[in-house]
C-alpha cells in the first residue's frame, strides 16, 4: 500500500537508471553500482525484493559489480529498462543499448533469463519507437534473443557472474509470442502458464501469469501490451485484476504501451509527483537531466519515508 499515485520501486529504479545514463560521462557500470549502494545507505529504495537487497549488500561489502548479482530469474531488471529503449532508440545505438541493458540487469539479477529478457524488452521498445508495428516486432524478437544469448555468453567469459549462462529459454518462449498474442486473453494466459510450468523452481505453488518469474510475469506483460484488441488502460486493468505481482507486470506492460501508443492515454493528473516524472519523460528526448544525483536521492528518500508513514498509518 502507498499513497495514491506515488510511483513504486519499478519507476524509482527506472529514474535511477536514467540518472546514470544521462550523466555527463554517460553509462558507467561502476557509477550504477555507486548509486545503488549510496541509495541503500540513505534508505532510498522501497518495496524491493530480497535478491535486489542481497546484491546491494554484496556491493556495499566491496564485491565488484560483475560478481554482485543474485541468482534470480525474476522481473526486477525488466521492470526498470523501459527508458533505455527510449534513450538509445536509434539504430546506430543498438550495441550501446545491449551493453547498458545487460550490464545494469546482471548487476542485480545475475541470471541469463532475467538479463536476457530485460535486454530484449529494451530492444523491443526501441523498435516500437522507430515506428515498427507490434506484430512486426514480435516476429524479430526470437532473433534478438539469440543475439542476447551470444552477448551474455561473452560476458560470462569476461568475468561476469551469470547463472544459466547458456540458456535459450527466452528465445524459445519468444518463438511462441506472435501466435499466442492472437489468442483470446484467457487462452493466451493458459498457454503461457502451461509452457512456463516445467521451468519453475521448487517452491512455486502456481504457474500464474503474474508470478515474479520472468517467463511468467515478464512475458505476460509483453504479450498484453502487444495485443491489438485492448486499449492501453484496458490492458493494464486486465493485468491488475489477475492479482499477484501486479505493479511490476503492469510497469513492464506500461513501458511497451507507451512506446506503442504515446502518452495521451496516461492519467498523469493522478501522479503524486507529476511535474518531476514529466520532467524525466522529457529528458528521454532532450537528454538533459532534470535534477542532480543528490537531488534524486534526497527526493526519493523523502518519498520512501512518506510511503512507510502511510503504511504504518494504515
Amino acid at each position: 500500500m502507498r499513497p495514491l499515485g506515488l510511483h513504486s520501486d519499478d519507476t524509482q529504479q527506472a529514474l535511477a537508471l536514467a540518472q546514470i545514463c544521462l550523466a555527463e560521462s554517460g553509462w558507467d557500470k561502476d557509477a550504477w553500482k555507486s548509486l545503488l549502494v549510496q541509495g541503500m545507505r540513505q534508505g532510498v529504495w522501497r518495496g524491493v525484493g530480497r535478491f535486489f537487497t542481497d546484491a546491494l549488500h554484496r556491493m556495499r561489502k566491496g564485491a565488484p559489480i560483475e560478481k554482485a548479482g543474485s541468482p534470480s530469474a525474476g522481473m526486477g531488471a525488466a521492470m526498470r529498462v523501459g527508458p533505455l529503449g527510449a534513450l538509445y532508440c536509434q539504430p546506430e545505438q543498438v550495441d550501446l543499448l545491449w551493453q547498458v541493458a545487460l550490464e545494469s540487469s546482471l548487476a542485480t539479477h545475475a541470471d541469463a533469463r532475467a538479463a536476457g529478457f530485460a535486454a530484449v524488452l529494451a530492444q523491443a521498445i526501441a523498435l516500437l519507437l522507430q515506428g515498427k508495428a507490434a506484430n512486426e516486432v514480435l516476429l524479430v524478437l526470437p532473433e534478438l534473443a539469440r543475439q542476447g544469448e551470444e552477448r551474455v555468453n561473452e560476458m560470462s567469459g569476461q568475468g561476469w557472474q551469470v547463472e544459466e549462462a547458456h540458456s535459450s529459454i527466452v528465445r524459445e518462449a519468444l518463438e511462441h509470442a506472435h501466435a499466442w498474442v492472437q489468442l483470446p486473453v484467457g487462452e493466451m494466459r493458459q498457454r503461457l502458464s502451461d509452457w512456463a510450468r516445467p521451468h519453475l523452481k521448487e517452491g512455486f505453488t502456481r504457474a500464474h501469469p503474474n508470478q515474479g518469474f520472468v517467463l511468467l510475469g515478464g512475458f505476460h506483460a509483453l504479450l498484453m501490451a502487444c495485443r491489438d484488441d485492448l486499449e492501453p488502460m484496458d490492458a493494464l486493468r486486465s493485468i491488475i485484476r489477475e492479482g499477484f505481482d501486479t505493479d511490476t507486470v503492469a510497469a513492464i506492460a506500461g513501458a511497451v504501451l507507451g512506446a506503442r501508443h504515446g502518452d495521451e492515454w496516461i492519467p498523469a493528473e493522478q501522479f503524486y509527483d507529476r511535474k518531476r516524472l514529466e520532467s524525466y519523460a522529457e529528458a528521454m528526448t532532450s537528454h538533459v537531466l532534470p535534477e542532480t544525483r543528490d537531488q534524486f536521492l534526497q527526493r526519493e528518500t523523502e518519498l520512501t519515508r512518506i510511503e512507510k508513514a502511510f503504511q504504518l498509518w494504515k
Side-chain angles (χ1 to χ4, degrees):
M1 297 293 292
R2 61 182 55 88
L4 290 175
L6 176 59
H7 56 277
S8 68
D9 58 313
D10 312 73
T11 300
Q12 184 189 53
Q13 291 182 35
L15 300 182
L17 198 50
Q19 270 284 327
I20 301 302
C21 294
L22 291 175
E24 186 175 349
S25 57
W27 169 254
D28 183 303
K29 65 181 187 298
D30 291 319
W32 177 231
K33 172 187 173 181
S34 176
L35 178 59
L36 291 174
V37 172
Q38 188 176 356
M40 183 183 195
R41 287 173 174 156
Q42 293 185 207
V44 169
W45 312 121
R46 55 182 177 271
V48 295
R50 66 182 178 90
F51 290 116
F52 177 85
T53 301
D54 289 348
L56 267 57
H57 275 302
R58 285 188 284 272
M59 293 180 196
R60 181 180 57 82
K61 293 177 180 178
I65 193 169
E66 295 89 347
K67 302 293 186 181
S70 296
S72 167
M75 303 182 292
M79 74 183 190
R80 64 188 180 222
V81 298
L84 300 182
L87 288 171
Y88 309 118
C89 66
Q90 299 304 317
E92 62 271 19
Q93 296 174 302
V94 62
D95 287 333
L96 181 57
L97 178 53
W98 277 118
Q99 178 191 354
V100 178
L102 288 172
E103 289 184 354
S104 65
S105 298
L106 288 170
T108 56
H109 293 71
D111 187 292
R113 296 164 296 177
F117 178 78
V120 169
L121 182 73
Q123 295 285 353
I125 289 170
L127 292 174
L128 290 168
L129 290 171
Q130 291 171 22
K132 303 288 194 301
N135 284 340
E136 183 181 0
V137 172
L138 288 176
L139 286 172
V140 303
L141 289 189
E143 170 57 21
L144 288 176
R146 186 195 63 77
Q147 295 175 26
E149 291 169 14
E150 293 181 352
R151 291 173 185 266
V152 169
N153 290 340
E154 290 176 4
M155 293 174 71
S156 178
Q158 295 167 357
W160 283 84
Q161 176 177 295
V162 185
E163 297 287 327
E164 303 288 335
H166 298 283
S167 173
S168 61
I169 202 70
V170 169
R171 170 166 48 88
E172 293 168 17
L174 286 170
E175 288 171 352
H176 299 286
H178 186 266
W180 285 348
V181 82
Q182 311 296 329
L183 299 172
V185 172
E187 186 176 347
M188 180 195 78
R189 286 172 172 154
Q190 189 62 53
R191 293 285 185 92
L192 174 61
S193 295
D194 291 343
W195 190 90
R197 187 173 291 107
H199 306 286
L200 293 177
K201 276 189 174 182
E202 185 178 352
F204 271 87
T205 58
R206 183 180 175 191
H208 190 280
N210 274 357
Q211 284 273 25
F213 184 36
V214 73
L215 296 180
L216 285 168
F219 275 89
H220 183 214
L222 176 64
L223 292 171
M224 289 296 290
C226 287
R227 295 187 66 92
D228 290 327
D229 59 346
L230 292 173
E231 294 297 319
M233 286 302 296
D234 292 331
L236 293 179
R237 291 189 186 101
S238 181
I239 288 170
I240 292 166
R241 283 195 294 266
E242 289 297 298
F244 284 78
D245 198 352
T246 55
D247 65 322
T248 301
V249 178
I252 297 169
V256 179
L257 289 166
R260 285 191 70 190
H261 300 285
D263 63 358
E264 291 186 0
W265 60 275
I266 300 173
E269 68 280 357
Q270 297 180 25
F271 292 173
Y272 188 92
D273 209 14
R274 176 180 179 177
K275 289 184 178 180
R276 179 165 168 265
L277 293 178
E278 289 179 334
S279 69
Y280 269 90
E282 292 169 2
M284 297 301 101
T285 54
S286 71
H287 289 199
V288 177
L289 276 171
E291 60 186 359
T292 67
R293 171 169 162 167
D294 286 343
Q295 288 171 333
F296 164 79
L297 291 167
Q298 182 178 357
R299 179 57 177 161
E300 288 299 325
T301 301
E302 178 186 358
L303 292 175
T304 297
R305 290 197 189 104
I306 290 172
E307 177 176 293
K308 288 181 178 178
F310 179 85
Q311 292 169 345
L312 288 172
W313 176 77
K314 292 296 286 185

